[in-house]
Amino acid sequence: MTYLTARRRTLGLVSSLALFGALAAGAQSQAAPHPGVSNTLSTTHFWNDLQLDFLPGNTWERLRDNLQWQDRSHDARVQHWIDHYRANPHNVIAIIERARPWMAWINEKVEIRGLPGEIALIPFVESSFDPTARSHRGAAGLWQFMPGTGDALGLSRRNGYDGRLDVVASTEAALDYIELQADQWYEGDLELSLAAYNAGAGTVNRARHAANARGEPTDYWHLQLPNETMHYLPKLNAIAAIVADPDAHGIDLPDIDDAPAFAKVAVEAPINLGQLATMTGVDRAELSALNPGLTNGSANPATGEVVLVPIEYEEVVLAHLTTPASAYPDTGVEQHVVARGDSLSSIAALHGSSVEEIRRHNGLNGDLIHEGQRLEIPRRSLASR
């Protein structure tokens, strides 16, 4: 089955193309456009979103079955990066360890769209699989979204939430964007779409026009592009070649189960991650690592629609969230450290409290607060209902 056939069977892109068309002009002027949109609206184990039957196994075995660009492994630029990774195996292993919570899920999302498996490895190149990564140009997250394009397509940055750091939202956004751009500009050519993902569609289109004027091929591998973009796909193909045959390259890839690592739980009322960890026994550091988009440690239905929890804690978390508030004893207060951009109203909304309650409990006469200030928030339950 070809990529285009598989994609058209699984995705209805007509409405999305209309949205992309409205943004195309702006995307051309971006130095590194990575727009996206969050669409995680339901309370469900993420595995139920998939429409295929998956058997337990190893993520790398599954990924190898979906690799489609291995004929590029002998290109000189690809070989350069293979040699680089082989000379630094500890760096490869460290990046893969960071990918552990996300790799199987991203792999499945790529597979169900009929995309080449190599695309699941893009975060290796973009962010070294660090969901909190930030570039000097302002890009952020696993997929390195730029602020303006992320904002335009719904990856909001407000009230203690940054959608660019939300792995579920940003992954869906990145895959949508790659597919849409391939259709919009390149007749389904995903390699050119990935070049545009890195450099901007305007840069790639100008390079193609110049190549055409010289009578040269206009595919990615023959274009004259910025240095970073010239090495973008070679890096991706190099790490894919190592995944395809790690023994041949002297690298022992850590095993990653091809099984769910997390569950999505809908945010229907404000949830504080610290309190959720205390009441359910989930390790707080692990809970925070699964939810890097919640930049102040709290979820609110007005900003983030889901909280990710370790799969083994899904049932206990759901049980606590659906228990009436009256069933819980008075837990006193919780602490909130004021972050940049916080206001008393946004803090009250995040914690299910009120501005007046926070003022009264902390002896405040007005609305003035400062970054780093500790506030006590009176709360009675895990989530107000």
Side-chain angles (χ1 to χ4, degrees), residues 60-199:
W60 305 123
E61 295 171 0
R62 187 177 204 89
L63 183 57
R64 288 176 195 122
D65 289 340
N66 295 320
L67 296 176
Q68 298 181 22
W69 294 338
Q70 288 304 288
D71 57 329
R72 296 294 187 188
S73 60
H74 300 297
D75 181 274
R77 279 181 283 170
V78 176
Q79 191 59 54
H80 166 81
W81 285 104
I82 290 175
D83 293 342
H84 172 81
Y85 293 137
R86 290 181 64 176
N88 298 276
H90 55 287
N91 289 340
V92 175
I93 300 305
I95 293 172
I96 288 173
E97 287 294 344
R98 279 197 294 274
R100 186 175 294 280
W102 317 112
M103 193 69 240
W105 184 80
I106 293 173
N107 194 26
E108 300 300 351
K109 288 298 181 182
V110 168
E111 179 177 340
I112 200 169
R113 292 170 181 247
L115 294 166
E118 284 86 349
I119 289 177
L121 296 169
I122 287 175
F124 189 102
V125 177
E126 284 285 349
S127 63
S128 297
F129 268 103
D130 179 1
T132 65
R134 296 179 182 273
S135 78
H136 67 279
R137 291 180 297 184
L142 207 69
W143 299 87
Q144 290 292 281
F145 287 93
M146 295 295 288
T149 47
D151 288 348
L153 290 179
L155 290 178
S156 64
R157 294 176 294 131
R158 59 190 178 92
N159 294 337
Y161 174 77
D162 190 336
R164 300 174 303 159
L165 308 182
D166 183 325
V167 173
V168 168
S170 64
T171 296
E172 296 284 10
L175 299 182
D176 283 347
Y177 176 64
I178 291 165
E179 290 184 311
L180 292 171
Q181 191 158 243
D183 270 3
Q184 181 77 9
W185 300 111
Y186 309 118
E187 298 180 336
D189 189 320
L190 288 164
E191 292 181 315
L192 288 171
S193 181
L194 291 181
Y197 185 95
N198 178 254

Side-chain angles (χ1 to χ4, degrees), residues 168-355:
V168 168
S170 64
T171 296
E172 296 284 10
L175 299 182
D176 283 347
Y177 176 64
I178 291 165
E179 290 184 311
L180 292 171
Q181 191 158 243
D183 270 3
Q184 181 77 9
W185 300 111
Y186 309 118
E187 298 180 336
D189 189 320
L190 288 164
E191 292 181 315
L192 288 171
S193 181
L194 291 181
Y197 185 95
N198 178 254
T203 297
V204 174
N205 294 344
R206 286 191 293 273
R208 295 186 77 207
H209 289 318
N212 188 60
R214 296 192 299 267
E216 298 172 357
T218 59
D219 63 289
Y220 166 81
W221 297 93
H222 290 88
L223 295 182
Q224 294 300 311
L225 294 162
N227 187 62
E228 179 182 311
T229 312
M230 292 287 284
H231 288 278
Y232 190 73
L233 265 74
K235 287 182 180 179
L236 182 63
N237 280 268
I239 192 60
I242 290 170
V243 168
D245 194 351
D247 291 341
H249 297 96
I251 295 180
D252 186 16
L253 298 179
D255 286 341
I256 298 180
D257 289 340
D258 186 28
F262 60 83
K264 297 190 297 187
V265 175
V267 178
E268 297 177 356
I271 299 173
N272 179 274
L273 295 186
Q275 194 174 12
L276 180 64
T278 299
M279 299 185 73
T280 61
V282 181
D283 181 79
R284 180 165 184 170
E286 183 177 5
L287 193 59
S288 296
L290 285 175
N291 295 278
L294 304 178
T295 56
N296 71 350
S298 297
N300 187 291
T303 50
E305 291 109 347
V306 298
V307 166
L308 303 186
V309 301
I311 184 63
E312 63 270 23
Y313 284 92
E314 179 182 14
E315 295 303 324
V316 67
V317 168
L318 288 173
H320 276 285
L321 291 176
T322 55
T323 299
S326 60
Y328 290 101
D330 189 343
T331 57
V333 298
E334 60 180 290
Q335 298 288 321
H336 178 96
V337 179
V338 177
R340 182 178 300 179
D342 276 353
S343 66
L344 284 184
S345 59
S346 68
I347 294 170
L350 283 169
H351 293 278
S353 186
S354 70
V355 171

